Amino acid sequence: MFVFSLANGLPAGSRTVWSRLSLQPLAAGPLTPFSYSVLEEVAGRAWYQYFDELGFAPMPRARVIRQVGGYPYLNLTLSAQRDAAFAAVEPMVLLFDNQRFPVADYEKPGFLAAMKAGRNRKKIESTLARYQEESAVVTKKAEAWSIKTSELRWTQADILQVMEEIERISAATFKLFLAARHNLEWTYNRLFWLTVEQRPYPENLALISSISCDLTALPEYRMAEQLLELGALCNENPVVSQWLQRHNLEDGATNLPHELDEAMQRFVTHYGHRGANEGEIRTQRWADDLQPVLAALNAYVQRKPKQPTYLPTSQSLQRLLDAVDSKAQKDAKQLAEQFRRLLQLQSNALHAFAHILTGTRRWALAAAKEAMTDGRLQQQDDVFFFALEEMKQMMTGEWNISAKAEIHSLCAKRRAEYTQWLTERPAWLYIGDAPASTATEHGFPGMSGQATGPLRRWKNPAPQRCEGAIVGTEQLTTGWSLILPFARALIAADGTPLDPIVAAARGWHIPTVVGLGARFDTLVEGAQTTILGDNGTVEQ
């Protein structure tokens, strides 16, 4: 995931590195104007909060994220500059057409500056450790806010009050994800360069990933684990089992048997705020639509999957250290430990932030109803084609019925733009305004192993009757946790081995290749397909 190609070489102007891979766990596809505006505001606030807590000031007033073709891109250079200037942290190094390219300028500090930088590096470590300790408390606060939004009657006063809370309460939660992902990518990059000489790319990526196959506390892993427990309960009850097999699952959670209804409510209490492509606030959560969960339970009754055997990673860690120069093994071991901790923090942070997104979705739908009373919005779904600030103007009366024609026209235009974005596959990186593409035909190894079977392309993470098939999709996000007990192997056009769902797949021992890019489009539905997880190869 660090090897790219630029059609016309490095640009002469701005060389700021923008990555959509960094936001893949949250925003796998293009975002509607409402969802992007929320993310843009929250990411900016969270970024400043994180570096302010580190004491890395003064802060430059620069864009933290930008949008290209509907997709959000994170500014990698901005954070790398802060780390380099205040903690002498060497920036990530990418490879463009066999040319090394640091994402930010770096100058090795002198003796006194190095001492100060060393203290600041320890501040980074202690801050990340504190975030991990605080993640449970942050999650409870986010959940409490989400519950509050579910209990409101959504009077005009309620709408105005919650409207002022969204950005403030979101930033404190998203800060944990932003810090985890930023440092996780840096750690992964360091391990990449420490191992690449003895284990060439992409085999070294599989080696690095192998040290995290036992992270069973990830929320994505536990979702699948809870699904098995729920499935076992359904299987033991003949009434529920028979209902699942004859029910039209596309009807959703209508007329559930009493025993199943109680069990589903327990699942929803813990995970109902999750779903597919969660950064797109327009997307329904599991609490809104139980069909994917019901489909997974139906698959359980038919196939009765088991939880995977726990495999410790001590041998994998030793193989990693063996691939590192002896002088760097101590650093490699510390990086490996940090890699595992940050994967956990990233997943915990996303689980917390998903509560905020669910509450924000409730507010948006309530605001839409308010704007529909005088015809400014024609349907509830229109709300997602206006930025948060625009909806605030509607709610305060600044953008009123006198502009109804303008509002309708703008909504139609943005809907058309969004529809066009869905048909495109944008670049993974931008260097300034120059798009970068992958330089290889294979993907990124997410989990080692080999599997063979017919390829089945799925658009939605609901288990289907295709035992022994290789499951392929455009993007793997949290919602795909439901298929982990059933998947023989996973391939995806987008994504990286750092994404939470890919880390969870490692715990389920599922061979996984992500980031296939345009290669994914050439794969034939139904054709016999072999996935080689050790080197990111998919063959037909």
Side-chain angles (χ1 to χ4, degrees), residues 31-35 37 280 282 364 377 379-388 390-391 394 399 407-419 421-422:
L31 297 182
T32 54
F34 181 82
S35 300
S37 66
E280 177 45 65
R282 186 188 187 200
L377 295 188
Q379 58 188 26
Q380 252 192 321
D381 190 61
D382 287 348
V383 67
F384 300 109
F385 295 92
F386 294 93
L388 176 60
E390 291 172 330
M391 287 308 303
M394 285 194 200
W399 210 10
I407 293 171
H408 292 175
S409 175
L410 187 57
C411 183
K413 176 185 176 183
R414 289 177 176 175
R415 276 186 179 275
E417 288 175 344
Y418 182 76
T419 301
W421 292 339
L422 291 171

Side-chain angles (χ1 to χ4, degrees), residues 115-252:
M115 291 181 62
K116 182 179 180 180
R119 291 193 295 270
N120 284 338
R121 283 196 296 274
K122 290 182 179 178
K123 184 69 177 294
I124 294 175
E125 294 173 7
S126 63
T127 298
L128 292 173
R130 176 168 58 84
Y131 285 175
Q132 184 66 70
E133 293 175 359
E134 293 175 352
S135 62
V137 174
V138 169
T139 301
K140 287 182 179 179
K141 289 182 178 179
E143 183 180 12
W145 185 78
S146 179
I147 290 173
K148 183 186 82 169
T149 64
S150 71
E151 296 174 345
L152 293 173
R153 292 191 303 162
W154 290 113
T155 63
Q156 189 175 39
D158 292 333
I159 291 173
L160 294 175
Q161 177 188 341
V162 173
M163 178 177 75
E164 297 303 323
E165 295 174 352
I166 291 174
E167 292 123 317
R168 174 179 55 80
I169 197 166
S170 298
T173 307
F174 192 70
K175 172 186 66 179
L176 272 63
F177 168 75
L178 207 62
R181 186 71 185 198
H182 165 56
N183 287 282
L184 183 59
E185 290 183 335
W186 179 87
T187 301
Y188 195 56
N189 187 261
R190 289 288 297 154
L191 288 169
F192 172 89
W193 289 109
L194 288 175
T195 56
V196 72
E197 289 189 8
Q198 295 193 41
R199 293 292 290 271
Y201 171 82
E203 285 87 351
N204 67 328
L205 297 188
L207 183 65
I208 298 168
S209 294
S210 69
I211 65 173
S212 61
C213 293
D214 60 345
L215 296 182
T216 58
L218 300 176
E220 294 76 14
Y221 183 97
R222 287 186 168 176
M223 288 177 214
E225 192 174 48
Q226 288 291 308
L227 182 69
L228 289 190
E229 293 182 13
L230 184 56
L233 179 66
C234 295
N235 190 59
E236 292 168 2
N237 189 310
V239 174
V240 174
S241 178
Q242 292 170 16
W243 182 89
L244 282 169
Q245 294 183 63
R246 68 171 181 263
H247 183 65
N248 181 3
L249 297 177
E250 293 183 358
D251 291 340

